[in-house]
Each structure stands twice: as C-alpha cells, then as structure tokens.
Amino acid sequence: MNGAFCRKGVDVTSYPTIPLEKYREYPIDEMRQRLNDFYEDIDRRRTVREFSDRPVPRDIIETALKAANTAPSGANLQPWHFAVVSGLETKKKIRVAAEAEEREFYEHRASEEWLAALEPLGTDDRKPFLETAPYLIAIFLQKFGELPDGRKVKHYYPAESTGLATGILITALHHAGLATLTHTPSPMKFLNEILDRPKSERPFLLLVVGYPADDAEVPDIKRKSLQEYASFIEV
Ligand code: IYR
C-alpha cells in the first residue's frame, strides 16, 4: 500500500509495506540460551571514568551509530544528532567548558542531598577523560526537524526516542569491547556553540568512548534485584 493524500494542508505519503522477512523466531530453549548469554554479557558493562588514549578506528564508531539509529522513535522521525569529536583541539574546548560548569555545580549549584548521592561514586569537577578518550559523542535531541525545502516538522517524544537510541549506542559499543561514560555536565548549552549545532537542538548527553585505562577501577556498586524493580500482574 502506498497512498498520497493531504491532511490539514500537509502532504502525506504513507510508506509502502513489505513482509516482515527479517524477523527470526527461536525455539524456546534457544531463546533462553541467547537471552542468558546476552544478559551475562551486558551485566559486565560498567561505566568507566578512566580512559586510555588508545585510538579506535572510526568505522567502529560509525557502525555503532548505525545500530543506535535503528532505535524506535516518535513517528519514526529519528529526532537525534550525534556529533563525534576526535580532534584534540575540540576535546580541549569541551573539557574547559565542562569543567567550568562542573566547578559551579560542585561548589554552588548542587544541593547537599545531591552531593551526598554522588559521594559514593567519588566524582568531582576534574574531567581529564574529556581529553584522554579517543571519542566524545555529543548527543543532541531535536524538538524539530527540517525538510529539504526548509519547512519545520515537529518531532514527537524526542527525549524518549533519543534515550532509546543512546541505550542502543551504549550497548553496541559494549558489544564491541569499548567502554563508555555517560557524562552530563549541566548546563550543556556550551556544546551547541563549540560544535556549531543549531539552537533548536538540545544537548542530551556527552558519551565518552574508548578503551578503559589499564589501571581503571570502578566503584563496587550493587544492582537492584528483579523483585525490587519489576512486578508481574497475572490476573
Ligand atoms: N555532572 C556531574 C555530576 C554527576 C551527576 C550525576 I546524577 C552522576 O550520576 C554523576 C555525576 C559530573 O559529571 O561529575
């Protein structure tokens, strides 16, 4: 089916439909095995704050971004932009701007309660990894898109969609054997200026990507148990 029609003065063309031929069903035992393997693998993922400067080929990042771009999104409008930074000059600018915001955060803006919540993680305003890691991926959320003729199109659920794409990106990079850090200097508007992104895009998060440092350590965190974060309603 492929129809062209007009709704409220907007030209609409529906997508042609195709059979779901890429879908795969697995026998239940295989389903269990695959899922256990996947869970064991993702359970090893840890957010890392100490990175090596070892380079990572750009095609690896490109493929991970292609995986991220498969995320479901409101009306399939894919309301995200990934600015991939590998140049030292730009990484330095980002570090300087992020550390300035973080100093404000740790010294003035953060509530006592927030600082107490961060205490176990031992974070502070120094962010050397912003220069050390081979890639910083600045993820932007687009509230509006632009058609080739310059008209604006409203995006739906941009935050949810960009969050989903980011989750897939982190999972893909972990799958490839790379470490990530979801960094959220606040506010992050400086990313628009440094990376020359339009005002209509909101910085969503800064993903630091690379190999962990040889001597990297991580806090011994605990994850909630299934009963704590899930409920099953069977009536
Ligand atoms: N953006 C700051 C503070 C921070 C906030 C949360 I919530 C964290 O989980 C970790 C850090 C920083 O990056 O240090």
Side-chain angles (χ1 to χ4, degrees):
M1 246 274 289
N2 183 6
F5 52 95
C6 192
R7 184 187 290 144
K8 291 185 180 165
V10 181
D11 291 333
V12 180
T13 312
S14 57
Y15 295 115
T17 61
I18 52 168
L20 185 65
E21 53 195 16
K22 289 184 181 168
Y23 169 78
R24 280 191 219 160
E25 179 179 319
Y26 303 101
I28 291 294
D29 281 343
E30 197 180 336
M31 188 187 276
R32 234 171 237 125
Q33 187 62 53
R34 290 175 64 92
L35 211 39
N36 285 340
D37 292 348
F38 180 77
Y39 168 60
E40 267 183 30
D41 190 59
I42 199 71
D43 192 36
R44 293 186 302 101
R45 190 204 63 79
R46 292 299 311 267
T47 288
V48 159
R49 290 189 167 77
E50 292 151 307
F51 284 83
S52 152
D53 62 1
R54 266 168 78 196
V56 170
R58 181 169 136 176
D59 68 285
I60 299 287
I61 304 299
E62 288 179 2
T63 308
L65 290 173
K66 287 183 189 171
N69 195 59
T70 66
S73 65
N76 187 40
L77 293 171
Q78 301 156 66
W80 44 67
H81 180 85
F82 300 92
V84 182
V85 181
S86 55
L88 190 56
E89 193 183 316
T90 309
K91 287 196 287 186
K92 274 189 176 149
K93 282 187 195 162
I94 292 176
R95 177 183 180 180
V96 168
E99 286 186 334
E101 294 296 358
E102 294 293 48
R103 254 191 313 280
E104 270 299 299
F105 173 83
Y106 283 97
E107 285 170 18
H108 306 290
R109 278 200 294 261
S111 62
E112 284 305 315
E113 191 181 14
W114 196 341
L115 291 177
L118 291 176
E119 184 84 40
L121 296 175
T123 56
D124 60 32
D125 59 358
R126 286 165 300 160
K127 307 295 176 191
F129 50 76
L130 293 174
E131 273 181 54
T132 321
Y135 289 101
L136 306 178
I137 307 182
I139 305 171
F140 293 86
L141 161 175
Q142 303 170 328
K143 292 181 107 173
F144 295 91
E146 218 176 87
L147 293 173
D149 65 7
R151 275 185 300 165
K152 273 187 161 189
V153 240
K154 184 173 158 45
H155 284 163
Y156 304 95
Y157 300 101
E160 291 83 349
S161 307
T162 307
L164 291 163
T166 302
I168 295 179
L169 179 60
I170 291 168
T171 308
L173 290 165
H174 170 74
H175 189 66
L178 291 169
T180 57
L181 165 62
T182 43
H183 182 42
T184 50
S186 168
M188 281 193 278
K189 266 288 167 196
F190 63 83
L191 287 174
N192 290 68
E193 279 152 47
I194 296 175
L195 302 172
D196 199 23
R197 298 306 306 169
K199 276 205 179 75
S200 57
E201 289 186 358
R202 170 153 75 79
F204 182 72
L205 82 86
L206 189 56
L207 195 67
V208 184
V209 182
Y211 292 99
D214 288 337
D215 56 355
E217 293 197 353
V218 291
D220 188 15
I221 54 164
K222 300 281 172 278
R223 294 196 165 105
K224 287 182 179 175
S225 66
L226 184 68
Q227 299 87 284
E228 289 176 278
Y229 62 80
S231 51
F232 295 82
I233 295 90
E234 296 181 321
V235 286

